[in-house]
Amino acid sequence: MLLLARAPKAWHRLFQLKPLALPGTPGGKAQHVRYQLFSTPSPAETGRQGQPQGPGLRTRLLVTALIGAGLGGAWLAVRAEKERWQQQQRTEALRQAAVGQGDFSLLDHRGQVRCKADFRGQWVLLYFGFTHCPDICPDELEKLVQVVRQLEAEPGLPPVQPLFITVDPERDTVAAMARYVQDFHPRLLGLTGSEEQIAQVSRSYRVYYSAGPKDEDQDYIVDHSVAIYLLSPDGLFTDYYSRARSAEQISDSVRRHMAAFRSVLC
């Protein structure tokens, strides 16, 4: 009863108390009190507490790598498609040039008659030259053989038949061709024939040749065009490579032709 009797006085004294002065509030008046127990921490505070603000560094690097890989793959696909289109355009242009049309009948360095149909179903690298050539022909034949060896080293690729046709039938007999080709590759075939036969096959492949004057030893040089020809398994002229092309460049080109080949005879 005493507590209840004194209560009104106690409440009266409580309302007469002055407000407590809080630090930083002028006049001791605290108009706003913030409670941070349930408040959302600021980004700076979260950072100070070591909590991540978004995707981690590893995630960002992974996303960047995936985007880069996708762009790189798309660029490679576009470049490959462009190279295929360019190769198709080149092949079509060369085919329209009507090079290597018709057949031929020549003797190989073993004395066996050879015609164009004998090499049907094979890729062929063909070079026109002569055995008395001092430097160009040996260099080009060595390059041709190097291409054949590079392609032979890849089991998934079909074999390539190397051919050497002389433009000097007067001196390049069967026996002379046999002695010459043995220094290059065991599968290299040397082909020779009569003046008329050599003239016919040379015209077919647009090969220029002309024998120079003879010296006192009856020796002479044959001026001729220098190119390596690629024939498809259909026996069709597919590409040619000038002296400026390296063995690696020729090998790459032959691989691309092999990958894109579709027989027109089937």
Side-chain angles (χ1 to χ4, degrees), residues 6-235:
R6 292 180 178 177
K9 295 180 179 181
W11 283 107
H12 178 72
R13 293 192 190 97
L14 180 60
F15 284 112
Q16 288 180 344
L17 290 175
K18 293 182 179 181
L20 295 174
L22 295 178
T25 57
K29 294 181 181 180
Q31 298 178 357
H32 301 283
V33 178
R34 292 192 306 166
Y35 294 92
Q36 296 184 0
L37 181 59
F38 298 106
S39 62
T40 302
S42 66
E45 293 169 340
T46 304
R48 285 196 300 269
Q49 294 172 2
Q51 297 178 357
Q53 296 303 306
L57 177 61
R58 183 177 299 178
T59 302
R60 293 196 297 270
L61 290 175
L62 179 60
V63 171
T64 303
L66 291 174
I67 294 174
L71 293 175
W75 179 80
L76 289 175
V78 170
R79 189 178 74 168
E81 182 61 30
K82 180 180 178 181
E83 289 177 351
R84 282 193 294 270
W85 180 83
Q86 290 175 337
Q87 183 169 319
Q88 290 174 356
Q89 294 294 107
R90 176 178 171 84
T91 301
E92 184 60 29
L94 292 174
R95 193 168 291 171
Q96 291 177 1
V99 176
Q101 300 296 314
D103 201 357
F104 60 77
S105 178
L106 300 170
L107 291 176
D108 69 16
H109 64 269
R110 302 184 184 93
Q112 182 177 351
V113 177
R114 296 283 188 165
C115 62
K116 192 175 180 181
D118 293 336
F119 307 102
R120 187 70 52 82
Q122 304 177 61
W123 289 92
V124 173
L125 283 173
L126 168 62
Y127 178 76
F128 288 82
F130 63 109
T131 63
H132 286 71
C133 182
D135 47 21
I136 295 178
C137 291
D139 290 346
E140 289 301 292
L141 280 174
E142 187 59 44
K143 181 167 66 177
L144 184 153
V145 165
Q146 187 177 350
V147 172
V148 172
R149 290 192 176 117
Q150 288 177 359
L151 298 173
E152 283 178 336
E154 301 181 35
L157 297 180
V160 177
Q161 173 62 54
L163 293 182
F164 170 47
I165 298 180
T166 183
V167 292
D168 184 18
E170 180 179 342
R171 291 179 295 184
D172 290 343
T173 62
V174 169
M177 295 292 278
R179 289 191 300 269
Y180 191 74
V181 299
Q182 67 182 357
D183 295 331
F184 293 96
H185 192 281
R187 291 196 298 107
L188 175 62
L189 282 179
L191 302 179
T192 186
S194 67
E195 294 280 353
E196 293 76 14
Q197 289 171 326
I198 295 301
Q200 177 187 351
V201 69
S202 298
R203 283 194 302 269
S204 175
Y205 287 93
R206 312 292 177 85
V207 174
Y208 161 81
Y209 68 98
S210 177
K214 296 180 180 179
D215 60 19
E216 57 185 13
D217 296 325
Q218 300 300 301
D219 194 12
Y220 55 91
I221 295 296
V222 180
D223 185 25
H224 63 92
S225 53
V226 179
I228 295 174
Y229 296 83
L230 176 66
L231 308 183
S232 74
D234 288 344

